[in-house]
Amino acid sequence: MKKVLALLFIFLIVPILLVFTACDKPNDWLPPVLRTSTLARPETNLEFWIAENVDNVDFSSHTQKHVYTKSPASYYYGMEYAPTIDENGKQVDPEHCVIYTITPYPDYMNKEKHITYIHITDPEIELYGFSLKSSCADFETIMKKEGWEITEKYEFYRTATKGKYSITFTRNEIRIRVDVRNELGIKW
């Protein structure tokens, strides 16, 4: 019986332990679709970065954007921005702002909250060395240099992707997103 247990340990347990200890990051052993690694934060003046966990962030100093939806998303203006209120009592985004979307991640069934979408209309926000003051050609050059693939290219519109992340650059806005799985097919 001791030989059987020893063989079981050697052939089953040891390889599993080797896989876990050989990984650079805690979830490297998972298939790529299940990993929750975040995209390295570039030099930027954004408060938060895409896929950043915000479970322990106090958003009481931020203005919440009211969006009427059944989805599990919450929306917050960056700390420096606040909407105005129109004659019907509805929020109106400032001309220049940053809005962060927070959802469960990597799947809508998860409990952890992450930044899964960033909408930028402020030309003073910079990332990877570009801003809304840059041209589409500048954006394309920078993103290719950073290892992103240009997947959509129109006269005044570019989208760059890297795995489950995408950045769309237009004349008036930058949109950064990470794909969130919906394994159970939840409909809102």
Side-chain angles (χ1 to χ4, degrees), residues 108-123:
Y108 286 118
M109 291 304 297
N110 286 78
K111 291 184 180 180
E112 291 184 0
K113 302 293 185 186
H114 291 255
I115 302 292
T116 55
Y117 189 89
I118 304 172
H119 184 238
I120 303 164
T121 58
D122 185 343

Side-chain angles (χ1 to χ4, degrees), residues 25-28 30-40 49-53 105-106 112 114 162 164-165 178-179 181:
K25 297 181 185 120
N27 62 5
D28 276 355
L30 290 168
V33 72
L34 297 178
R35 293 181 190 163
T36 59
S37 62
T38 57
L39 183 65
W49 186 236
I50 196 70
E52 182 177 336
N53 181 298
Y105 176 81
E112 291 184 0
H114 291 255
K162 188 181 230 181
K164 59 187 171 186
Y165 300 94
V178 62
D179 293 335
R181 294 188 320 269

Side-chain angles (χ1 to χ4, degrees), residues 31 55 61 63 87-88 120 122 124 133 139 150 154-155 163:
D55 282 337
S61 298
T63 302
E87 63 276 356
N88 298 318
I120 303 164
D122 185 343
E124 298 305 316
K133 297 174 187 174
F139 170 79
I150 303 301
Y154 301 99
E155 185 177 359

Side-chain angles (χ1 to χ4, degrees), residues 51-69:
E52 182 177 336
N53 181 298
V54 291
D55 282 337
N56 297 316
V57 174
D58 177 8
F59 281 93
S60 62
S61 298
H62 293 76
T63 302
Q64 186 167 12
K65 180 174 173 70
H66 300 292
V67 177
Y68 302 98
T69 177

Side-chain angles (χ1 to χ4, degrees), residues 114-148:
H114 291 255
I115 302 292
T116 55
Y117 189 89
I118 304 172
H119 184 238
I120 303 164
T121 58
D122 185 343
E124 298 305 316
I125 297 295
E126 294 183 7
L127 60 145
Y128 293 109
F130 72 85
S131 70
L132 284 170
K133 297 174 187 174
S134 304
S135 68
C136 281
D138 293 339
F139 170 79
E140 186 173 343
T141 300
I142 290 168
M143 296 314 286
K144 284 181 178 178
K145 181 180 171 192
E146 293 290 334
W148 291 68

Side-chain angles (χ1 to χ4, degrees), residues 73-90:
S74 299
Y75 307 85
Y76 289 93
Y77 292 93
M79 185 85 77
E80 300 175 21
Y81 312 99
T84 56
I85 306 298
D86 70 11
E87 63 276 356
N88 298 318
K90 299 209 180 201

